[in-house]
Amino acid sequence: MAQVPLRIVPDVPIPATPPSDYQNIPSTPADFGAQVGQAQQRAGSEGEQAAGNLAQIAEIKQHRYNEVAGDDAMNNFMAQGDALTYGNPTDPLAQKGLYQLKGSEALSAGPDITNKISSLRDKIANGLPNDAVKLQFDEQSRRYYQYKSAEISRHLDAQSDVWNTGVAEGMINTGVTQGSNGYNNDADIANGI
């Protein structure tokens, strides 16, 4: 007996697209607010760029402030250091500067002036607003302090010679005076005075 296949449901292929009773509406990203997102993205990148510019401007201003503050501190240090060594010609009542002192007076004042300049440097450095200014001041003031120390040493060496010469001249003058005062005194002549 011949067999006949039983088919109740015919073979119908499944369509690749939805049946026509569905709505097929083409859409774009703009339909869902893409232009708003793009505008926000542009605003964000422009804001980021503006913030970067502001940060750069702030950095430039801070750098300039540091330079000016360091220069001001150095000017102050040099003015006070020069007043200690050269004196203050605009104030007749001011203490004499080291270079105005001669002989033993200069030799006595030298170490004190050197200590005052060192203390002044430390005092100014401790009053500076930030580490960048302190670093700049330290570099500049170190050179000035070394220069000033060498200058003071040369002055004290010269004044040591002046003092030695003055003492020697004083001894000669004293001997001459004593000899002339006792030229007819037998006791002074006998004692070698």
Side-chain angles (χ1 to χ4, degrees), residues 34-116:
Q35 69 275 27
V36 173
Q38 290 170 347
Q40 287 178 341
Q41 184 179 12
R42 279 192 306 273
S45 69
E46 289 172 4
E48 184 178 334
Q49 182 180 1
N53 291 345
L54 288 175
Q56 187 178 16
I57 290 169
E59 185 177 330
I60 290 169
K61 283 186 175 190
Q62 182 65 47
H63 180 72
R64 183 69 182 142
Y65 170 80
N66 292 344
E67 284 182 1
V68 172
D71 290 346
D72 185 47
M74 190 61 201
N75 288 340
N76 185 18
F77 179 52
M78 290 173 64
Q80 291 186 50
D82 286 349
L84 288 169
T85 52
Y86 291 104
N88 186 352
T90 60
D91 184 4
L93 301 176
Q95 180 181 0
K96 286 184 175 183
L98 178 64
Y99 303 154
Q100 295 170 319
L101 304 177
K102 304 297 178 205
S104 67
E105 192 178 16
L107 294 173
S108 297
D112 184 47
I113 296 296
T114 303
N115 289 338
K116 283 183 180 179

Side-chain angles (χ1 to χ4, degrees), residues 14-36:
I14 300 174
T17 60
S20 62
D21 59 341
Y22 287 104
Q23 293 183 357
N24 190 1
I25 302 172
S27 62
T28 64
D31 294 335
F32 297 97
Q35 69 275 27
V36 173

